[in-house]
Amino acid sequence: LTMSAPAKVEMESVESSLENLPPQDKTFVQKILYGDSFSAVEIPEAVRQMAAQNDFEVKAFKQHGVIPEQTRAPRIVRVGAIQNKIPVQPDAPIQEQLRALHERMAVLIQAAAGMGVNVVCLQEGWNIPFFMCTRERYPWCEMAESATNGPTVLFLQELARTYNMVIISPILERDEVHMNQIKNTAVVISNNGGIIGKHSKNHIPRVGDFNEASYYVEGTDGHPVFETAFGKIGIAICYGRHHPLNWQAFAL
């Protein structure tokens, strides 16, 4: 009996897969994933060209279902989310890795500015390769840096001022005030370049032999909510999103 090998099927994205559903099912699934309905926003040609030249993808959507107020004019806030990639191999010298990450992120944030983004959220630990699955501390913890005057914060403060943009920057932090503890910390940078505050990951996954506590400690700063020019922001980092009381505490 001879059988042909099944065709290789690759999923481009969750959104593209939803296009294969019947319209009623697609609407139902999208409501579960994203809430009320949304529509695509046109990408400016300059941003399209930037994406093509620098090998990244841009998508934009407008959320519907917001109830208009009777006494205040509506205000549109544009929020961007950036998922980066490692631009150089993780065995390169640490300073070379960080420089390449900064150069890459500068382009992506420029594209976000071209879309009119007011608040941009970077990925968890974007100033490092995602090394938590390696069970190795060296040399990765050398990439931890200050959340107030480290090279990544200084770099993003300049971009925040340039583009009038609030930047949420999750980094691997070396907390010099608390005995150089390593933390998984999101720094909130104001649109004028100042540091509004920071919040450290408060739920660390310990699943089987996967234990991120090998690299950093839990945050003990509670559930701060940061007042920005474009609204109030609370930050649940990675595993924290699985804990409903985490979200409740930020809301309260």
Side-chain angles (χ1 to χ4, degrees):
L1 178 63
T2 302
M3 299 181 63
S4 59
K8 184 178 180 180
V9 178
E10 294 184 357
M11 185 177 73
E12 178 186 345
S13 65
V14 172
E15 288 78 14
S16 63
S17 298
L18 295 181
E19 297 300 324
N20 298 319
L21 294 175
Q24 184 175 355
D25 293 342
K26 175 183 173 183
T27 300
F28 177 73
V29 174
Q30 284 180 331
K31 185 172 181 62
I32 293 176
L33 292 176
Y34 309 120
D36 287 314
S37 62
F38 60 90
S39 57
V41 173
E42 184 177 355
I43 309 297
E45 182 58 31
V47 176
R48 287 182 181 276
Q49 292 181 8
M50 189 183 303
Q53 293 167 2
N54 294 279
D55 189 28
F56 64 88
E57 184 180 14
V58 180
K59 290 189 177 182
F61 304 94
K62 179 180 180 180
Q63 188 78 46
H64 301 292
V66 178
I67 300 175
E69 296 186 15
Q70 299 182 39
T71 59
R72 294 192 302 175
R75 182 178 68 158
I76 296 176
V77 175
R78 296 190 174 188
V79 179
I82 293 178
Q83 180 73 30
N84 195 17
K85 69 175 183 179
I86 300 301
V88 298
Q89 292 299 315
D91 58 355
I94 286 176
Q95 292 300 329
E96 181 181 333
Q97 292 188 56
L98 185 61
R99 182 171 58 253
L101 284 165
H102 284 189
E103 290 174 353
R104 174 79 176 173
M105 189 57 71
V107 174
L108 298 177
I109 291 179
Q110 182 183 358
M115 292 295 301
V117 166
N118 305 115
V119 180
V120 67
C121 308
L122 312 187
Q123 74 202 50
E124 179 189 20
W126 79 270
N127 68 323
I128 57 173
F130 189 81
F131 63 84
M132 279 65 133
C133 56
T134 67
R135 305 181 187 177
E136 299 173 356
R137 290 176 59 87
Y138 178 83
W140 312 117
C141 285
E142 287 188 48
M143 303 182 80
E145 57 184 273
S146 169
T148 56
N149 57 13
T152 295
V153 170
L154 297 177
F155 159 73
L156 291 177
Q157 285 180 292
E158 185 61 35
L159 293 182
R161 282 190 289 266
T162 299
Y163 298 122
N164 189 35
M165 184 187 295
V166 171
I167 300 178
I168 313 300
S169 173
I171 63 171
L172 190 67
E173 178 196 7
R174 184 178 301 279
D175 190 344
E176 298 166 340
V177 176
H178 297 96
M179 301 177 64
N180 285 314
Q181 288 181 329
I182 306 297
K183 297 178 179 179
N184 187 332
T185 298
V187 184
V188 183
I189 302 173
S190 169
N191 57 310
N192 64 16
I195 296 176
I196 298 176
K198 65 178 183 177
H199 171 60
S200 297
K201 185 173 178 177
N202 54 15
H203 290 85
I204 295 181
R206 297 173 175 89
V207 182
D209 62 354
F210 180 76
N211 186 353
E212 290 186 7
S214 301
Y215 309 102
Y216 55 85
V217 300
E218 278 105 342
T220 56
D221 55 7
H223 296 79
V225 175
F226 304 98
E227 191 83 50
T228 78
F230 305 108
K232 296 179 179 180
I233 297 176
I235 305 165
I237 302 175
C238 194
Y239 193 55
R241 72 183 182 272
H242 295 291
H243 301 268
L245 290 178
N246 213 28
W247 294 104
Q248 183 185 53
F250 284 120
L252 292 175

